[in-house]
Structure formats: C-alpha cells, structure tokens
Amino acid sequence: MQKQKYRKMKKKVLILSSSPRKGGNSDTLCDEFLRGASQMGHDVEKVFLRDKTILYCTGCSRCSLEGKPCPQKDDAAEIIDKMLVADVIVMATPVYFYTMSAQMKTLIDRCCGPYVRMKNKEFYFILTAADEQRENLMRTVDTFQGFLDCLPNPVIKGVVYGTGVWHPGEVKRTPAMQEAYEMGRNV
C-alpha cells in the first residue's frame, strides 16, 4: 500500500496591522506571522491600517438596512472586501489602556453591513503591551471576541501575546517572535 502525502490547502491570509508606527512591536510580530505563513505557501497580504484612510461609521444604516455600499469615500470598503475573500484574518494591535487601537476599532465598526457575509473565517490575534501580565490583555481579546460573536461561524485559532514591550524593537527579544512565526507556519 502506497503512502499518500497530504498537503495543507493553500489559504488566503489577510494580516491587518493596526500599529500607528511602522516597525512597532505588533507590526513586527505581523511580519513574523507573514514570514511563517508565506514559507508554507499560503497567499499572504498585510494591510497597514496607518497607511489607509478609514473614516468613522456615521450610523446612516445604508449598508445594514438598505444593503447598499457605504457612501463614504475612503479605504474601508477595499479592506472589508479583502476580509470577505480571506480564509484567515490576523488582527494585530498594540494595547492602549487595556483595549485595541482606535485604528482597529474604527475598521471593525465599518464592518457593520458586510459582517454577516464574513462566514467560516479563521482568526488569529496579535497583541502587544507594556504590561507584562497576559491576563491583563484579556479585555482586548474580549473586544475582538465581541466582533467575532456577530460573525457566522468564526474560529479563533490562536493569540500571540507580546507582553512587557513598549519601545519599537523590544518585542524582538521575547518568545512572541517565535510564537508569531510558528502560528504563521501552522495556518
């Protein structure tokens, strides 16, 4: 009997980096996740939210009640379209005052209408904070969970905690670097 090799299915991975600084600690972990996933042959794209214009949701209900595109002319629709076609979504944020960055929360709020079409997605979260205690970052995970609770059949596959890091580059001396890389490899 001949052994068959089973290959992992190539997945479309979207990394949403919400660090306000390029090369910041959460952005650095995004790059490690990207490196690992790319090495395994996945189709990986990183969107740096800082480089995008994402306006606040105005609550006009055009997307949610009327099923029409958001009337705002910014980059949110393009990013949300990428989320809709991705198999895997990595949401990365520095933790400010024990919750996610404003950049990430603003994008989540703009998912108001299309979120019902974000079906069967795998999610990874990357968090960095000056605080050294993982349990103190659970509020941030809970906030992400609040978003996922509204989606059809999401699965949280992993969380990387980059704790005890404040200044850019400090995360490079932590186990979170290897964790992010390995999670990317195991998508």
Side-chain angles (χ1 to χ4, degrees), residues 38-109:
S38 295
Q39 285 179 353
M40 297 307 290
H42 297 292
D43 180 13
V44 187
E45 178 182 4
K46 181 175 95 168
V47 175
F48 196 54
L49 298 184
R50 183 187 99 157
D51 292 342
K52 302 294 182 179
T53 300
I54 305 170
L55 303 172
Y56 300 119
C57 177
T58 64
C60 71
S61 298
R62 187 166 182 176
C63 66
S64 59
L65 291 178
E66 299 174 28
K68 295 180 180 174
C70 180
Q72 298 194 77
K73 303 298 179 213
D74 63 3
D75 298 319
E78 171 192 343
I79 298 166
I80 293 167
D81 285 346
K82 291 174 189 277
M83 293 172 76
L84 291 170
V85 299
D87 301 304
V88 176
I89 300 173
V90 179
M91 303 178 92
T93 185
V95 175
Y96 297 140
F97 301 103
Y98 298 101
T99 193
M100 67 181 61
S101 70
Q103 292 85 340
M104 182 62 74
K105 181 63 169 101
T106 301
L107 176 63
I108 289 171
D109 289 349

Side-chain angles (χ1 to χ4, degrees), residues 101-144:
S101 70
Q103 292 85 340
M104 182 62 74
K105 181 63 169 101
T106 301
L107 176 63
I108 289 171
D109 289 349
R110 290 293 299 281
C111 292
C112 186
Y115 76 91
V116 296
R117 297 190 334 255
M118 287 185 197
K119 298 176 184 173
N120 306 315
K121 306 291 182 191
E122 295 177 359
F123 285 87
Y124 292 85
F125 304 133
I126 295 175
L127 313 172
T128 57
D131 195 309
E132 295 182 8
Q133 304 300 314
R134 283 184 178 202
E135 55 272 7
N136 291 338
L137 281 73
M138 293 313 296
R139 282 185 247 171
T140 306
V141 174
D142 288 345
T143 304
F144 278 126

Side-chain angles (χ1 to χ4, degrees), residues 25-26 28-37 39-40 124-128 134 158-163 165 169-187:
N25 291 310
S26 62
T28 298
L29 292 177
C30 286
D31 290 341
E32 281 302 290
F33 190 103
L34 185 147
R35 187 170 71 92
Q39 285 179 353
M40 297 307 290
Y124 292 85
F125 304 133
I126 295 175
L127 313 172
T128 57
R134 283 184 178 202
V159 181
V160 176
Y161 297 92
T163 57
V165 297
E170 289 180 341
V171 77
K172 292 178 183 177
R173 298 184 301 271
T174 71
M177 290 290 286
Q178 186 67 28
E179 291 170 17
Y181 172 73
E182 290 299 328
M183 274 193 202
R185 285 186 56 83
N186 291 308
V187 161

